[in-house]
Amino acid sequence: MRREINIGQNPIKSKIDSIQVLRGVAAMIVTIYHLKSFIAIDQPFRRELDFFFDSGAAGVNLFFVISGFIMVYITEKTPGSYEDIYKFVIKRFIRIWPTYAVITVIYFVIRYRSYVTIPEIKDLAMSLLFIPIDYTPPPFYGYATLPVGWSLNYEIYFYALITISILFKRLRWPVFFLLTIVTLVIIPVLNGSYTLDAARTENYGHKYLNMITNPIIWSFIYGVVIGLLHSNQKVRNVLTDFFSRKWIFSTVVVLAVWQYLSGFFGGQGPLQWAIGASALFSAFLFHHAGRHTQFPGWLVKLGNISYSIYLLHVPVSFTLTVLFQKLGYPIYGSGPALFFLSISLTLIASHLSYEYLEIRLSNFMKRLLPLF
């Protein structure tokens, strides 16, 4: 994703670059997790890919934790006027929707072509409006037209919570936590269905209520907590000093990698990968907060284009399978060769998407929706 913060001095640049690196890692975890399904169990590389990339939940939860932190970071000096709220909403809309909408519509056309039905058009409309498609299964509630869009439904809901909270100015964070306690604790408790397992939640008979009561949202809240700790100078100094010790930083990274590779509590939710993602993010954030670290340029670039990678890997791989079928070579529509071709073309397409959709289209939208 594109940087959203003025970088400033070197230590700050290192901190933001560390976030970009984690975004790139998260995007590739999800991408490879999805694309390895093109390789049959008995084909080369499948066993290795299953070992190294068998937890898409890790990437999604890491994205959510980062989003929670970023929302605190970019709004901590926002007074809370109506003009501030308007700017926040427009910036979030421009950042997320245009790129998502263009890629979703293109994927819809390629996937359905001349076989479009009314239900599919309805699903497309709901996807573009960030409305869950179905009542189950949690936490996906029906995959959007562009399958990864299910996670953006949560992202937009989280932005809505932040927007409401900003209205209360100095009380924004008490209000934010009150709202989340109502949806994530009080409603499930009153219904007798409280759980911290994101895959085992109650069906309340309303799609959006099902979604906003799902405990996967705790991943955002963990990120908010990290952001609030970071915004307190004294606490930030303590945590920076703590994580600056290489043995502590290394231990956290090793434990996070172990959790990822072993599958230990590797699902969705606050007691699953949200903990590992939060620990890993905190270690990277505070370890690099007070120092200048030069990350490899390609890793930072990977983070810059991570949003496009996340959105494009499914359309690219699907288009390749369709193309090989149309050309009369269906045998090339699966296997290790297609996997590597899909990865390569996804990275190329994501670079173009970042340049022309995330930057140029966003700038065009800004001119249509002026920020005063």
Side-chain angles (χ1 to χ4, degrees), residues 238-284:
V238 170
L239 291 175
T240 298
D241 180 65
F242 178 75
F243 284 108
S244 67
R245 295 173 172 85
K246 292 184 179 180
W247 69 271
I248 293 178
F249 173 74
S250 300
T251 299
V252 173
V253 173
V254 166
L255 288 175
V257 172
W258 171 80
Q259 181 187 9
Y260 172 73
L261 294 177
S262 69
F264 180 78
F265 286 88
Q268 310 274 14
L271 298 182
Q272 301 285 318
W273 238 102
I275 293 179
S278 299
L280 181 64
F281 175 71
S282 298
F284 264 77

Side-chain angles (χ1 to χ4, degrees), residues 89-293:
V89 171
I90 294 301
K91 285 181 179 179
R92 291 298 91 201
F93 171 79
I94 291 173
R95 179 71 188 91
I96 298 295
W97 192 82
T99 303
Y100 174 64
V102 170
I103 294 174
T104 295
V105 171
I106 292 174
Y107 177 65
F108 179 84
V109 172
I110 294 173
R111 180 177 178 181
Y112 295 107
R113 299 184 293 281
S114 59
Y115 305 102
V116 181
T117 64
I118 296 299
E120 288 155 357
I121 294 175
K122 180 181 177 182
D123 287 350
L124 173 63
M126 294 177 68
S127 298
L128 294 177
L129 294 173
F130 301 106
I131 300 172
I133 299 295
D134 209 342
Y135 298 92
T136 56
F140 315 104
Y141 302 112
Y143 288 102
T145 297
L146 182 62
V148 298
W150 73 268
S151 62
L152 294 182
N153 295 343
Y154 287 100
E155 190 90 17
I156 296 302
Y157 168 66
F158 175 62
Y159 293 162
L161 284 179
I162 296 295
T163 302
I164 294 170
S165 302
I166 293 175
L167 284 169
F168 293 86
K169 300 180 181 179
R170 293 183 179 181
L171 295 176
R172 70 184 62 175
W173 296 118
V175 170
F176 172 82
F177 286 113
L178 177 61
L179 291 173
T180 54
I181 288 172
V182 169
T183 56
L184 297 179
V185 179
I186 294 178
I187 292 177
V189 166
L190 291 178
N191 191 63
S193 57
Y194 181 75
T195 179
L196 293 176
D197 188 343
R200 298 181 180 274
T201 55
E202 182 73 9
N203 181 0
Y204 294 97
H206 190 283
K207 299 172 185 177
Y208 212 82
L209 181 61
N210 288 350
M211 190 189 80
I212 69 174
T213 55
N214 191 284
I216 197 175
I217 294 171
W218 284 105
S219 296
F220 291 105
I221 298 172
Y222 286 179
V224 168
V225 171
I226 295 170
L228 292 175
L229 293 175
H230 180 272
S231 66
N232 184 297
Q233 183 67 51
K234 293 182 179 179
V235 176
R236 181 167 70 249
N237 290 340
V238 170
L239 291 175
T240 298
D241 180 65
F242 178 75
F243 284 108
S244 67
R245 295 173 172 85
K246 292 184 179 180
W247 69 271
I248 293 178
F249 173 74
S250 300
T251 299
V252 173
V253 173
V254 166
L255 288 175
V257 172
W258 171 80
Q259 181 187 9
Y260 172 73
L261 294 177
S262 69
F264 180 78
F265 286 88
Q268 310 274 14
L271 298 182
Q272 301 285 318
W273 238 102
I275 293 179
S278 299
L280 181 64
F281 175 71
S282 298
F284 264 77
L285 176 70
F286 292 107
H287 181 75
H288 298 289
R291 64 180 66 202
H292 173 61
T293 305

Side-chain angles (χ1 to χ4, degrees), residues 9-15 17 287-295:
Q9 299 176 349
N10 284 339
I12 299 178
K13 182 182 187 301
S14 296
K15 176 177 61 184
D17 281 353
H287 181 75
H288 298 289
R291 64 180 66 202
H292 173 61
T293 305
Q294 187 69 38
F295 291 94

